[in-house]
Amino acid sequence: MACASHVLVFLFISQLALVTYTTALLCDSCVGLCKSSCEKELNLSLYLHQIAAGPNHNQEQIVSPSFANGFGTTGVNDWPLLDAPQPNANIIARAKGLHIQASQEGGGWFSPFSMVFQEQDSRFNRSTLQVNGMIGPEATGEWAIVGGTGKLAMARGIIKYKFPQIVTSVENYRQLDIHAFYTPQAV
């Protein structure tokens, strides 16, 4: 014969199980997890065209401190991101932001910028990727993708870059291999 304590334990455990099951059914969408993957993956190669001086320059020095090795020098940039390393290639996006000489030894530029996709790009029309990283004297490097807007909302990932083509001492093309995950906004 069951004693009262066994009945109470049984009732308590069955109520707990019922509440847990019901909460899981009702609040499955509350936890923010998708039943299928919400994230999309982006793999894209673009070419950043940088022109430091001349009539078609796309960056400008705005702060010139007197520190050794140009430490603290700050520039603003509007670099086009092209589909090929050629002057007449299609502009897919623009890298709009800053580059700051952040190394007292020289040659280390911190570059935070927004990668703004052009209106003509139907995939990512005016969406952005927020990018941070260092540009050093090395021919290769990486930047962090720390956010995104529009169709690239909540992006995170990396951009690996290398210099496939240096045109002159003031003009170059930097190949950007973009790998990111993002969560498209619901319509």
Side-chain angles (χ1 to χ4, degrees):
M1 189 146 131
C3 67
S5 62
H6 290 147
V7 172
L8 287 175
V9 169
F10 174 77
L11 289 175
F12 176 76
I13 291 174
S14 25
Q15 287 297 318
L16 183 60
L18 183 61
V19 168
T20 304
Y21 179 74
T22 306
T23 304
L25 287 177
L26 295 175
C27 292
D28 193 29
S29 62
C30 300
V31 294
L33 299 175
C34 297
K35 291 186 188 294
S36 63
S37 178
C38 290
E39 288 189 321
K40 301 275 186 191
E41 187 173 8
L42 174 66
N43 286 298
L44 181 64
S45 288
L46 297 174
Y47 295 86
L48 185 150
H49 188 198
Q50 182 180 14
I51 305 172
N56 297 321
H57 68 284
N58 53 26
Q59 63 185 48
E60 185 68 41
Q61 188 171 314
I62 56 174
V63 176
S64 301
S66 58
F67 294 109
N69 294 323
F71 181 67
T73 300
T74 303
V76 62
N77 50 267
D78 185 7
W79 298 319
L81 301 172
L82 311 170
D83 61 0
Q86 303 163 354
N88 60 349
N90 295 318
I91 297 175
I92 305 301
R94 300 190 80 84
K96 298 172 178 273
L98 302 171
H99 49 282
I100 303 156
Q101 177 59 274
S103 172
Q104 292 189 36
E105 293 83 35
W109 293 85
F110 174 64
S111 188
F113 62 86
S114 292
M115 185 180 291
V116 182
F117 286 84
Q118 301 293 98
E119 288 183 47
Q120 299 87 342
D121 185 332
S122 60
R123 295 173 301 168
F124 305 118
N125 178 11
R126 297 175 63 196
S127 298
T128 68
L129 290 174
Q130 305 307 312
V131 180
N132 283 324
M134 294 296 292
I135 302 171
E138 302 84 17
T140 62
E142 289 185 4
W143 294 325
I145 298 171
V146 296
T149 65
K151 293 180 180 178
L152 297 169
M154 297 190 289
R156 68 190 196 295
I158 62 168
I159 297 174
K160 292 184 178 188
Y161 67 82
K162 61 184 174 184
F163 289 96
Q165 183 178 4
I166 296 176
V167 180
T168 68
S169 62
V170 297
E171 181 178 6
N172 68 63
Y173 289 92
R174 183 176 292 128
Q175 181 178 333
L176 309 181
D177 293 319
I178 301 164
H179 183 227
F181 293 95
Y182 63 96
T183 304
Q185 294 180 350
V187 179

